[in-house]
């Protein structure tokens, strides 16, 4: 299995993510989710917006959870902030056992919806709530990439 | 009083917290037998049944209908609502309505698990999915990231600390209070006293939760029998009146939790208090789902025992200890006594023991109102039951 990097995945911890990705539990794309994982394989992160009521949501569903209309895909800017997080120091399951400690976070997209992820590219102690982060993706195979987040560059 | 007012008349615990001689199904059986003996209800009079997670860690029977068959329950009312550990508070809600409505007269609720003996202590930190597996459904959006059960609660605790300044020491006080009560229970898994310092210096598992912020893993089982106040007159025990019930869901997976500092206990509690026509200040003891210390803190706030964000100060006051204004988990709770995977039935059982005055050295003097509140999933589905010693 190849682990081609989509976007910039330089940095030691991001490299570790790529190396372990093929051994992690991975999504089984379905009718609704396939475009999300395909987009991630191209380096894009998508969320959904309702054309009827404007509600934005993640995870992707076949209906808008506010009004039941059919949602549409929108590309995310890839900018967000850490809404909450933890440092996993004990996970008996491979390959995570050997990756600990690592950060599991819920990131709030600039556009509003939130998603679970790992924040990589910095020491776990440096992650904090409100921290600006940016998305990157790693392609696992054709049609399947996985988004991750890392500290946003300071300008 | 309506003669069909629902009352709990029988309770039974199987063997625990370590019971290598029982498989999950046998835990159901032992608990059922003890609840029948406790109540004086004849097995043939049971005409309603509910259970969740039946025989989960053994091969068979693995759900509701096989379990009803195995136990030989000829029911005309059945409920298998499965919302995790709070399923039993949801059962109480549904069974109380069914009994009041006349759909059935006597409901049995059972639970059994040999989690510790079969699987060891890995539930909280082994992840949910196998290596290199492909995960369908909504879980696919969380699966690649290596979260564990404890991590979900840790993210709620982290956010609560961020928004309200809650401290690890305040959370630790919850574990200390519950351990103090476990010391009074010969059947508790851990009985040696602990201090706040012991908790915050125990190993960090998922920041900010330490090992002693986490519940135990045990074996165990329970059974509860609910019937009408009229039938209870001929039975052995003083009835515990089901005064109010409520259930609410805010999300299922942790990444979908709309507010990481608030749970469905706000809605589930408000409904239960409304039905019972009492307020939080009236409650004598609480049996709250203590999967982790943060679970208790959130439930206390959301149920209205203190304002949102004040939970840390509230628990640090010592309110949760015997002798305090709101003794918590007088059996030693999930944090120190018993947690076989789903704890909700034990909350009801301990609440009933308190109202009967049968809680031994952990008895809250004169307890006449007890509240049980279960949290299922990842702070997802909250069920609240208010029980009373006296007829409404």
């Amino acid at each position: 299995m190849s682990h081609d990097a989509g976007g910039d995945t330089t940095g030691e911890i991001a490299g570790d993510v790529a190396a372990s990705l093929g051994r992690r539990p991975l999504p089984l794309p379905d009718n609704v989710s396939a475009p999300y994982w395909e987009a991630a394989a191209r380096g894009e992160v998508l969320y959904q917006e309702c054309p009827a009521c404007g509600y934005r949501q993640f995870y992707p569903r076949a209906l808008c959870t506010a009004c039941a209309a059919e949602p549409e895909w929108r590309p995310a800017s890839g900018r967000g902030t850490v809404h909450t997080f933890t440092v996993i120091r004990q996970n008996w399951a491979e390959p995570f056992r050997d990756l600990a400690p690592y950060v599991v976070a819920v990131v709030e997209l600039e556009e509003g919806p939130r998603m679970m992820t790992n924040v990589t590219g910095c020491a776990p102690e440096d992650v904090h709530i409100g921290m600006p982060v940016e998305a990157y993706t790693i392609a696992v195979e054709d049609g399947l990439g996985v988004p991750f987040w890392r500290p946003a560059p300071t300008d | 009083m309506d003669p069909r007012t629902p009352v709990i008349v029988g309770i039974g615990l199987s063997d625990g917290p370590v019971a290598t001689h029982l498989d999950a199904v046998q835990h159901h059986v032992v608990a059922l037998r003890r609840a029948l003996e406790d109540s004086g209800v004849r097995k043939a009079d049971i005409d309603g049944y509910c259970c969740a997670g039946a025989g989960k860690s053994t091969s068979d029977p693995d759900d509701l209908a096989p379990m009803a068959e195995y136990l030989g329950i000829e029911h005309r009312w059945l409920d298998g609502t499965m919302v995790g550990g709070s399923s039993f508070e949801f059962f109480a809600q549904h069974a109380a309505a069914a009994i009041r409505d006349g759909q059935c007269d006597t409901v049995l609720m059972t639970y059994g698990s040999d989690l510790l003996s079969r699987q060891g202590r890995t539930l909280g930190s082994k992840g949910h999915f196998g290596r290199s597996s492909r995960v369908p459904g909504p879980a696919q959006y969380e699966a690649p990231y290596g979260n564990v059960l404890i991590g979900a609660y840790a993210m709620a605790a982290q956010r609560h600390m961020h928004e309200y300044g809650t401290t690890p020491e305040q959370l630790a006080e919850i574990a200390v209070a519950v351990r103090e009560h476990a010391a009074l229970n010969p059947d508790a898994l851990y009985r040696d006293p602990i201090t706040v310092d012991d908790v915050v210096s125990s190993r960090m598992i998922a920041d900010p939760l330490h090992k002693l912020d986490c519940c135990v893993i045990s074996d165990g089982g329970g059974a509860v029998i609910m019937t009408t106040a009229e039938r209870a007159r001929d039975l052995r025990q003083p009835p515990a009146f089901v005064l109010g019930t409520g259930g609410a869901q805010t999300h299922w997976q942790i990444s979908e939790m709309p507010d990481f500092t608030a749970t469905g206990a706000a809605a589930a509690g408000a409904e239960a208090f409304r039905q019972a026509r009492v307020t939080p200040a009236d409650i004598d003891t609480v049996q709250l789902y203590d999967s982790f210390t943060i679970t208790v803190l959130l439930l206390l706030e959301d149920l209205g025992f203190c304002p949102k964000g004040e939970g840390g100060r509230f628990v640090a006051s010592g309110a949760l200890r015997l002798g305090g204004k709101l003794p918590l988990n007088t059996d030693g709770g999930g944090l120190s006594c018993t947690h076989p995977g789903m704890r909700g039935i034990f909350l009801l059982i301990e609440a009933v023991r308190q109202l009967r005055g049968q809680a031994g050295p952990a008895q809250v003097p004169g307890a006449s109102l007890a509240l049980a509140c279960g949290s299922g999933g990842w702070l997802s589905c909250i069920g609240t039951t208010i029980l009373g010693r006296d007829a409404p």
Side-chain angles (χ1 to χ4, degrees), chain A residues 24 26 28 33 37 58 83-84 86 89-90 92 102 147, chain B residues 125 133 135 140-141 144-146 155 159 203 205 207 256:
Chain A
R24 293 186 181 205
L26 289 169
L28 182 64
S33 72
W37 301 113
F58 191 87
H83 182 73
T84 190
T86 183
R89 298 185 186 273
Q90 175 176 301
W92 302 120
Y102 57 91
Chain B
S125 56
S133 59
V135 179
Q140 68 186 283
Y141 301 100
Y145 302 113
M155 285 194 282
R159 187 75 203 181
R203 193 158 46 90
I205 307 290
D207 304 32
E256 291 289 306

PDB file of all heavy atoms in Angstrom, chain A residues 24 26 28 33 37 58 83-84 86 89-90 92 102 147, chain B residues 125 133 135 140-141 144-146 155 159 203 205 207 256:
ATOM      1  N   ARG A  24      -3.985   1.722  10.206  1.00  0.00           N
ATOM      2  CA  ARG A  24      -5.081   2.224  11.047  1.00  0.00           C
ATOM      3  C   ARG A  24      -6.422   1.700  10.541  1.00  0.00           C
ATOM      4  O   ARG A  24      -6.547   1.333   9.373  1.00  0.00           O
ATOM      5  CB  ARG A  24      -5.105   3.755  10.988  1.00  0.00           C
ATOM      6  CG  ARG A  24      -3.899   4.416  11.623  1.00  0.00           C
ATOM      7  CD  ARG A  24      -4.104   5.909  11.634  1.00  0.00           C
ATOM      8  NE  ARG A  24      -2.967   6.608  12.211  1.00  0.00           N
ATOM      9  CZ  ARG A  24      -3.047   7.815  12.784  1.00  0.00           C
ATOM     10  NH1 ARG A  24      -4.202   8.465  12.811  1.00  0.00           N
ATOM     11  NH2 ARG A  24      -1.985   8.386  13.281  1.00  0.00           N
ATOM     12  N   LEU A  26      -9.646   2.234   8.766  1.00  0.00           N
ATOM     13  CA  LEU A  26      -9.902   3.226   7.721  1.00  0.00           C
ATOM     14  C   LEU A  26     -11.376   3.222   7.359  1.00  0.00           C
ATOM     15  O   LEU A  26     -12.094   2.257   7.617  1.00  0.00           O
ATOM     16  CB  LEU A  26      -9.052   2.906   6.490  1.00  0.00           C
ATOM     17  CG  LEU A  26      -7.553   3.174   6.670  1.00  0.00           C
ATOM     18  CD1 LEU A  26      -6.744   2.577   5.522  1.00  0.00           C
ATOM     19  CD2 LEU A  26      -7.281   4.676   6.803  1.00  0.00           C
ATOM     20  N   LEU A  28     -14.869   2.908   5.356  1.00  0.00           N
ATOM     21  CA  LEU A  28     -15.443   2.124   4.265  1.00  0.00           C
ATOM     22  C   LEU A  28     -16.393   3.070   3.530  1.00  0.00           C
ATOM     23  O   LEU A  28     -17.529   3.280   3.970  1.00  0.00           O
ATOM     24  CB  LEU A  28     -16.207   0.921   4.825  1.00  0.00           C
ATOM     25  CG  LEU A  28     -16.823  -0.018   3.791  1.00  0.00           C
ATOM     26  CD1 LEU A  28     -15.757  -0.691   2.939  1.00  0.00           C
ATOM     27  CD2 LEU A  28     -17.694  -1.062   4.476  1.00  0.00           C
ATOM     28  N   SER A  33     -20.586   9.029   1.602  1.00  0.00           N
ATOM     29  CA  SER A  33     -19.264   9.471   2.062  1.00  0.00           C
ATOM     30  C   SER A  33     -18.191   9.437   0.983  1.00  0.00           C
ATOM     31  O   SER A  33     -17.158  10.096   1.123  1.00  0.00           O
ATOM     32  CB  SER A  33     -18.816   8.622   3.256  1.00  0.00           C
ATOM     33  OG  SER A  33     -18.466   7.311   2.854  1.00  0.00           O
ATOM     34  N   TRP A  37     -14.140  11.253   0.871  1.00  0.00           N
ATOM     35  CA  TRP A  37     -12.840  10.572   0.921  1.00  0.00           C
ATOM     36  C   TRP A  37     -12.082  10.737  -0.399  1.00  0.00           C
ATOM     37  O   TRP A  37     -10.851  10.809  -0.394  1.00  0.00           O
ATOM     38  CB  TRP A  37     -13.027   9.097   1.264  1.00  0.00           C
ATOM     39  CG  TRP A  37     -13.727   8.892   2.591  1.00  0.00           C
ATOM     40  CD1 TRP A  37     -14.963   8.358   2.795  1.00  0.00           C
ATOM     41  CD2 TRP A  37     -13.226   9.247   3.889  1.00  0.00           C
ATOM     42  NE1 TRP A  37     -15.270   8.354   4.138  1.00  0.00           N
ATOM     43  CE2 TRP A  37     -14.220   8.890   4.837  1.00  0.00           C
ATOM     44  CE3 TRP A  37     -12.036   9.838   4.350  1.00  0.00           C
ATOM     45  CZ2 TRP A  37     -14.053   9.103   6.208  1.00  0.00           C
ATOM     46  CZ3 TRP A  37     -11.874  10.033   5.715  1.00  0.00           C
ATOM     47  CH2 TRP A  37     -12.877   9.669   6.623  1.00  0.00           C
ATOM     48  N   PHE A  58     -21.223  18.609   9.399  1.00  0.00           N
ATOM     49  CA  PHE A  58     -20.300  17.518   9.296  1.00  0.00           C
ATOM     50  C   PHE A  58     -20.646  16.617  10.470  1.00  0.00           C
ATOM     51  O   PHE A  58     -20.952  17.129  11.556  1.00  0.00           O
ATOM     52  CB  PHE A  58     -18.836  18.010   9.414  1.00  0.00           C
ATOM     53  CG  PHE A  58     -17.852  16.939   9.051  1.00  0.00           C
ATOM     54  CD1 PHE A  58     -17.481  16.761   7.726  1.00  0.00           C
ATOM     55  CD2 PHE A  58     -17.341  16.095  10.024  1.00  0.00           C
ATOM     56  CE1 PHE A  58     -16.605  15.752   7.376  1.00  0.00           C
ATOM     57  CE2 PHE A  58     -16.468  15.076   9.669  1.00  0.00           C
ATOM     58  CZ  PHE A  58     -16.098  14.908   8.360  1.00  0.00           C
ATOM     59  N   HIS A  83     -11.217  23.018  18.906  1.00  0.00           N
ATOM     60  CA  HIS A  83     -12.361  23.263  19.796  1.00  0.00           C
ATOM     61  C   HIS A  83     -12.145  22.568  21.139  1.00  0.00           C
ATOM     62  O   HIS A  83     -12.402  23.118  22.187  1.00  0.00           O
ATOM     63  CB  HIS A  83     -13.655  22.782  19.148  1.00  0.00           C
ATOM     64  CG  HIS A  83     -14.852  23.056  20.005  1.00  0.00           C
ATOM     65  ND1 HIS A  83     -15.370  24.317  20.184  1.00  0.00           N
ATOM     66  CD2 HIS A  83     -15.611  22.231  20.771  1.00  0.00           C
ATOM     67  CE1 HIS A  83     -16.398  24.259  21.010  1.00  0.00           C
ATOM     68  NE2 HIS A  83     -16.561  23.005  21.389  1.00  0.00           N
ATOM     69  N   THR A  84     -11.699  21.325  21.077  1.00  0.00           N
ATOM     70  CA  THR A  84     -11.258  20.616  22.281  1.00  0.00           C
ATOM     71  C   THR A  84     -10.330  19.500  21.848  1.00  0.00           C
ATOM     72  O   THR A  84     -10.242  19.183  20.654  1.00  0.00           O
ATOM     73  CB  THR A  84     -12.430  20.094  23.134  1.00  0.00           C
ATOM     74  OG1 THR A  84     -11.924  19.636  24.397  1.00  0.00           O
ATOM     75  CG2 THR A  84     -13.169  18.966  22.443  1.00  0.00           C
ATOM     76  N   THR A  86      -7.598  15.960  23.404  1.00  0.00           N
ATOM     77  CA  THR A  86      -6.986  15.191  24.481  1.00  0.00           C
ATOM     78  C   THR A  86      -5.662  14.653  23.970  1.00  0.00           C
ATOM     79  O   THR A  86      -5.436  14.622  22.750  1.00  0.00           O
ATOM     80  CB  THR A  86      -7.907  14.050  24.949  1.00  0.00           C
ATOM     81  OG1 THR A  86      -7.305  13.370  26.054  1.00  0.00           O
ATOM     82  CG2 THR A  86      -8.167  13.048  23.842  1.00  0.00           C
ATOM     83  N   ARG A  89      -2.587   8.775  25.850  1.00  0.00           N
ATOM     84  CA  ARG A  89      -1.316   8.244  26.355  1.00  0.00           C
ATOM     85  C   ARG A  89      -1.347   6.735  26.472  1.00  0.00           C
ATOM     86  O   ARG A  89      -0.317   6.111  26.742  1.00  0.00           O
ATOM     87  CB  ARG A  89      -0.986   8.870  27.712  1.00  0.00           C
ATOM     88  CG  ARG A  89      -0.815  10.376  27.580  1.00  0.00           C
ATOM     89  CD  ARG A  89      -0.381  11.060  28.847  1.00  0.00           C
ATOM     90  NE  ARG A  89      -0.378  12.495  28.645  1.00  0.00           N
ATOM     91  CZ  ARG A  89       0.670  13.182  28.154  1.00  0.00           C
ATOM     92  NH1 ARG A  89       1.785  12.558  27.829  1.00  0.00           N
ATOM     93  NH2 ARG A  89       0.585  14.487  27.972  1.00  0.00           N
ATOM     94  N   GLN A  90      -2.538   6.152  26.299  1.00  0.00           N
ATOM     95  CA  GLN A  90      -2.667   4.698  26.400  1.00  0.00           C
ATOM     96  C   GLN A  90      -3.721   4.220  25.408  1.00  0.00           C
ATOM     97  O   GLN A  90      -4.880   4.600  25.501  1.00  0.00           O
ATOM     98  CB  GLN A  90      -3.082   4.326  27.830  1.00  0.00           C
ATOM     99  CG  GLN A  90      -3.376   2.864  28.040  1.00  0.00           C
ATOM    100  CD  GLN A  90      -3.682   2.573  29.498  1.00  0.00           C
ATOM    101  OE1 GLN A  90      -2.882   2.817  30.394  1.00  0.00           O
ATOM    102  NE2 GLN A  90      -4.868   2.047  29.756  1.00  0.00           N
ATOM    103  N   TRP A  92      -4.288   0.381  23.609  1.00  0.00           N
ATOM    104  CA  TRP A  92      -3.698  -0.955  23.448  1.00  0.00           C
ATOM    105  C   TRP A  92      -3.763  -1.439  22.005  1.00  0.00           C
ATOM    106  O   TRP A  92      -3.153  -2.441  21.657  1.00  0.00           O
ATOM    107  CB  TRP A  92      -4.400  -1.961  24.362  1.00  0.00           C
ATOM    108  CG  TRP A  92      -4.335  -1.586  25.810  1.00  0.00           C
ATOM    109  CD1 TRP A  92      -5.390  -1.350  26.639  1.00  0.00           C
ATOM    110  CD2 TRP A  92      -3.164  -1.388  26.614  1.00  0.00           C
ATOM    111  NE1 TRP A  92      -4.955  -1.017  27.897  1.00  0.00           N
ATOM    112  CE2 TRP A  92      -3.586  -1.037  27.910  1.00  0.00           C
ATOM    113  CE3 TRP A  92      -1.789  -1.465  26.350  1.00  0.00           C
ATOM    114  CZ2 TRP A  92      -2.693  -0.764  28.939  1.00  0.00           C
ATOM    115  CZ3 TRP A  92      -0.909  -1.196  27.389  1.00  0.00           C
ATOM    116  CH2 TRP A  92      -1.363  -0.854  28.655  1.00  0.00           C
ATOM    117  N   TYR A 102      -0.286  10.910  21.484  1.00  0.00           N
ATOM    118  CA  TYR A 102      -0.678  11.668  20.296  1.00  0.00           C
ATOM    119  C   TYR A 102      -1.972  12.417  20.593  1.00  0.00           C
ATOM    120  O   TYR A 102      -2.690  12.086  21.555  1.00  0.00           O
ATOM    121  CB  TYR A 102      -0.853  10.746  19.075  1.00  0.00           C
ATOM    122  CG  TYR A 102      -1.839   9.629  19.275  1.00  0.00           C
ATOM    123  CD1 TYR A 102      -3.180   9.793  18.953  1.00  0.00           C
ATOM    124  CD2 TYR A 102      -1.435   8.399  19.797  1.00  0.00           C
ATOM    125  CE1 TYR A 102      -4.082   8.771  19.146  1.00  0.00           C
ATOM    126  CE2 TYR A 102      -2.331   7.365  19.989  1.00  0.00           C
ATOM    127  CZ  TYR A 102      -3.653   7.554  19.662  1.00  0.00           C
ATOM    128  OH  TYR A 102      -4.558   6.535  19.869  1.00  0.00           O
ATOM    129  N   PRO A 147      -7.998  13.342   5.967  1.00  0.00           N
ATOM    130  CA  PRO A 147      -7.573  14.665   6.429  1.00  0.00           C
ATOM    131  C   PRO A 147      -6.938  14.629   7.824  1.00  0.00           C
ATOM    132  O   PRO A 147      -7.380  13.874   8.685  1.00  0.00           O
ATOM    133  CB  PRO A 147      -8.890  15.472   6.485  1.00  0.00           C
ATOM    134  CG  PRO A 147      -9.895  14.657   5.742  1.00  0.00           C
ATOM    135  CD  PRO A 147      -9.460  13.233   5.892  1.00  0.00           C
TER     136      PRO A 147
ATOM    137  N   SER B 125      -9.515   1.755  26.769  1.00  0.00           N
ATOM    138  CA  SER B 125      -8.364   2.246  26.001  1.00  0.00           C
ATOM    139  C   SER B 125      -7.842   1.216  25.009  1.00  0.00           C
ATOM    140  O   SER B 125      -6.652   1.003  24.890  1.00  0.00           O
ATOM    141  CB  SER B 125      -7.253   2.686  26.959  1.00  0.00           C
ATOM    142  OG  SER B 125      -6.907   1.631  27.829  1.00  0.00           O
ATOM    143  N   SER B 133      -8.827  -2.435   9.754  1.00  0.00           N
ATOM    144  CA  SER B 133     -10.202  -2.761   9.389  1.00  0.00           C
ATOM    145  C   SER B 133     -10.796  -1.622   8.570  1.00  0.00           C
ATOM    146  O   SER B 133     -10.257  -0.517   8.535  1.00  0.00           O
ATOM    147  CB  SER B 133     -11.033  -2.999  10.653  1.00  0.00           C
ATOM    148  OG  SER B 133     -11.017  -1.853  11.476  1.00  0.00           O
ATOM    149  N   VAL B 135     -14.160   0.637   8.286  1.00  0.00           N
ATOM    150  CA  VAL B 135     -15.236   0.961   9.216  1.00  0.00           C
ATOM    151  C   VAL B 135     -16.393   1.640   8.485  1.00  0.00           C
ATOM    152  O   VAL B 135     -16.218   2.700   7.878  1.00  0.00           O
ATOM    153  CB  VAL B 135     -14.712   1.885  10.338  1.00  0.00           C
ATOM    154  CG1 VAL B 135     -15.824   2.250  11.299  1.00  0.00           C
ATOM    155  CG2 VAL B 135     -13.549   1.212  11.070  1.00  0.00           C
ATOM    156  N   GLN B 140     -16.982   5.923  10.602  1.00  0.00           N
ATOM    157  CA  GLN B 140     -15.853   6.024   9.671  1.00  0.00           C
ATOM    158  C   GLN B 140     -15.150   7.380   9.761  1.00  0.00           C
ATOM    159  O   GLN B 140     -13.982   7.480   9.402  1.00  0.00           O
ATOM    160  CB  GLN B 140     -16.298   5.770   8.231  1.00  0.00           C
ATOM    161  CG  GLN B 140     -17.208   6.831   7.628  1.00  0.00           C
ATOM    162  CD  GLN B 140     -17.717   6.419   6.242  1.00  0.00           C
ATOM    163  OE1 GLN B 140     -17.019   6.489   5.253  1.00  0.00           O
ATOM    164  NE2 GLN B 140     -18.973   5.959   6.209  1.00  0.00           N
ATOM    165  N   TYR B 141     -15.871   8.395  10.256  1.00  0.00           N
ATOM    166  CA  TYR B 141     -15.265   9.728  10.334  1.00  0.00           C
ATOM    167  C   TYR B 141     -14.410   9.895  11.593  1.00  0.00           C
ATOM    168  O   TYR B 141     -13.726  10.898  11.738  1.00  0.00           O
ATOM    169  CB  TYR B 141     -16.355  10.805  10.278  1.00  0.00           C
ATOM    170  CG  TYR B 141     -17.170  10.699   9.010  1.00  0.00           C
ATOM    171  CD1 TYR B 141     -18.418  10.082   9.008  1.00  0.00           C
ATOM    172  CD2 TYR B 141     -16.666  11.170   7.798  1.00  0.00           C
ATOM    173  CE1 TYR B 141     -19.154   9.952   7.842  1.00  0.00           C
ATOM    174  CE2 TYR B 141     -17.388  11.047   6.634  1.00  0.00           C
ATOM    175  CZ  TYR B 141     -18.631  10.433   6.653  1.00  0.00           C
ATOM    176  OH  TYR B 141     -19.356  10.300   5.490  1.00  0.00           O
ATOM    177  N   PRO B 144     -10.139   6.643  11.864  1.00  0.00           N
ATOM    178  CA  PRO B 144      -8.696   6.688  11.564  1.00  0.00           C
ATOM    179  C   PRO B 144      -7.850   7.377  12.635  1.00  0.00           C
ATOM    180  O   PRO B 144      -6.620   7.314  12.548  1.00  0.00           O
ATOM    181  CB  PRO B 144      -8.636   7.511  10.256  1.00  0.00           C
ATOM    182  CG  PRO B 144     -10.018   7.532   9.716  1.00  0.00           C
ATOM    183  CD  PRO B 144     -10.924   7.422  10.902  1.00  0.00           C
ATOM    184  N   TYR B 145      -8.497   8.028  13.592  1.00  0.00           N
ATOM    185  CA  TYR B 145      -7.738   8.952  14.436  1.00  0.00           C
ATOM    186  C   TYR B 145      -7.339   8.393  15.807  1.00  0.00           C
ATOM    187  O   TYR B 145      -6.731   9.091  16.611  1.00  0.00           O
ATOM    188  CB  TYR B 145      -8.519  10.264  14.586  1.00  0.00           C
ATOM    189  CG  TYR B 145      -8.805  10.885  13.230  1.00  0.00           C
ATOM    190  CD1 TYR B 145     -10.102  10.985  12.738  1.00  0.00           C
ATOM    191  CD2 TYR B 145      -7.756  11.328  12.421  1.00  0.00           C
ATOM    192  CE1 TYR B 145     -10.359  11.533  11.486  1.00  0.00           C
ATOM    193  CE2 TYR B 145      -7.999  11.877  11.165  1.00  0.00           C
ATOM    194  CZ  TYR B 145      -9.306  11.972  10.707  1.00  0.00           C
ATOM    195  OH  TYR B 145      -9.542  12.510   9.468  1.00  0.00           O
ATOM    196  N   GLY B 146      -7.710   7.146  16.082  1.00  0.00           N
ATOM    197  CA  GLY B 146      -7.181   6.500  17.284  1.00  0.00           C
ATOM    198  C   GLY B 146      -7.721   7.028  18.594  1.00  0.00           C
ATOM    199  O   GLY B 146      -7.033   6.973  19.612  1.00  0.00           O
ATOM    200  N   MET B 155     -12.095  14.923  26.310  1.00  0.00           N
ATOM    201  CA  MET B 155     -12.332  16.134  25.516  1.00  0.00           C
ATOM    202  C   MET B 155     -13.425  17.003  26.132  1.00  0.00           C
ATOM    203  O   MET B 155     -13.378  18.230  26.037  1.00  0.00           O
ATOM    204  CB  MET B 155     -12.654  15.762  24.073  1.00  0.00           C
ATOM    205  CG  MET B 155     -11.396  15.316  23.316  1.00  0.00           C
ATOM    206  SD  MET B 155     -11.598  15.234  21.529  1.00  0.00           S
ATOM    207  CE  MET B 155     -12.488  13.700  21.389  1.00  0.00           C
ATOM    208  N   ARG B 159     -12.641  20.857  27.722  1.00  0.00           N
ATOM    209  CA  ARG B 159     -13.436  22.021  27.342  1.00  0.00           C
ATOM    210  C   ARG B 159     -14.063  22.678  28.592  1.00  0.00           C
ATOM    211  O   ARG B 159     -14.160  23.901  28.679  1.00  0.00           O
ATOM    212  CB  ARG B 159     -14.521  21.586  26.340  1.00  0.00           C
ATOM    213  CG  ARG B 159     -15.309  22.721  25.733  1.00  0.00           C
ATOM    214  CD  ARG B 159     -14.525  23.492  24.680  1.00  0.00           C
ATOM    215  NE  ARG B 159     -15.073  24.826  24.528  1.00  0.00           N
ATOM    216  CZ  ARG B 159     -14.617  25.735  23.681  1.00  0.00           C
ATOM    217  NH1 ARG B 159     -13.594  25.467  22.880  1.00  0.00           N
ATOM    218  NH2 ARG B 159     -15.153  26.927  23.615  1.00  0.00           N
ATOM    219  N   ARG B 203      -1.418   7.937  37.090  1.00  0.00           N
ATOM    220  CA  ARG B 203      -0.970   8.018  35.696  1.00  0.00           C
ATOM    221  C   ARG B 203      -2.001   8.726  34.805  1.00  0.00           C
ATOM    222  O   ARG B 203      -3.197   8.479  34.896  1.00  0.00           O
ATOM    223  CB  ARG B 203      -0.742   6.596  35.178  1.00  0.00           C
ATOM    224  CG  ARG B 203       0.001   6.449  33.898  1.00  0.00           C
ATOM    225  CD  ARG B 203       0.594   5.035  33.816  1.00  0.00           C
ATOM    226  NE  ARG B 203      -0.372   3.999  34.180  1.00  0.00           N
ATOM    227  CZ  ARG B 203      -1.180   3.413  33.302  1.00  0.00           C
ATOM    228  NH1 ARG B 203      -1.166   3.759  32.027  1.00  0.00           N
ATOM    229  NH2 ARG B 203      -2.020   2.473  33.695  1.00  0.00           N
ATOM    230  N   ILE B 205      -4.030   9.125  31.602  1.00  0.00           N
ATOM    231  CA  ILE B 205      -4.445   8.176  30.562  1.00  0.00           C
ATOM    232  C   ILE B 205      -4.793   8.927  29.282  1.00  0.00           C
ATOM    233  O   ILE B 205      -4.367   8.573  28.185  1.00  0.00           O
ATOM    234  CB  ILE B 205      -5.672   7.348  31.020  1.00  0.00           C
ATOM    235  CG1 ILE B 205      -5.402   6.679  32.371  1.00  0.00           C
ATOM    236  CG2 ILE B 205      -6.052   6.326  29.951  1.00  0.00           C
ATOM    237  CD1 ILE B 205      -4.398   5.561  32.343  1.00  0.00           C
ATOM    238  N   ASP B 207      -5.340  13.111  28.633  1.00  0.00           N
ATOM    239  CA  ASP B 207      -5.362  14.411  29.313  1.00  0.00           C
ATOM    240  C   ASP B 207      -6.733  15.061  29.179  1.00  0.00           C
ATOM    241  O   ASP B 207      -7.261  15.121  28.062  1.00  0.00           O
ATOM    242  CB  ASP B 207      -4.336  15.369  28.696  1.00  0.00           C
ATOM    243  CG  ASP B 207      -2.912  14.816  28.699  1.00  0.00           C
ATOM    244  OD1 ASP B 207      -2.761  13.584  28.594  1.00  0.00           O
ATOM    245  OD2 ASP B 207      -1.976  15.626  28.740  1.00  0.00           O
ATOM    246  N   GLU B 256     -19.738  14.633  17.544  1.00  0.00           N
ATOM    247  CA  GLU B 256     -21.001  15.310  17.236  1.00  0.00           C
ATOM    248  C   GLU B 256     -21.594  16.014  18.452  1.00  0.00           C
ATOM    249  O   GLU B 256     -22.687  16.585  18.365  1.00  0.00           O
ATOM    250  CB  GLU B 256     -22.012  14.297  16.698  1.00  0.00           C
ATOM    251  CG  GLU B 256     -21.671  13.762  15.319  1.00  0.00           C
ATOM    252  CD  GLU B 256     -21.862  14.828  14.240  1.00  0.00           C
ATOM    253  OE1 GLU B 256     -22.946  15.415  14.149  1.00  0.00           O
ATOM    254  OE2 GLU B 256     -20.896  15.074  13.494  1.00  0.00           O
TER     255      GLU B 256
END
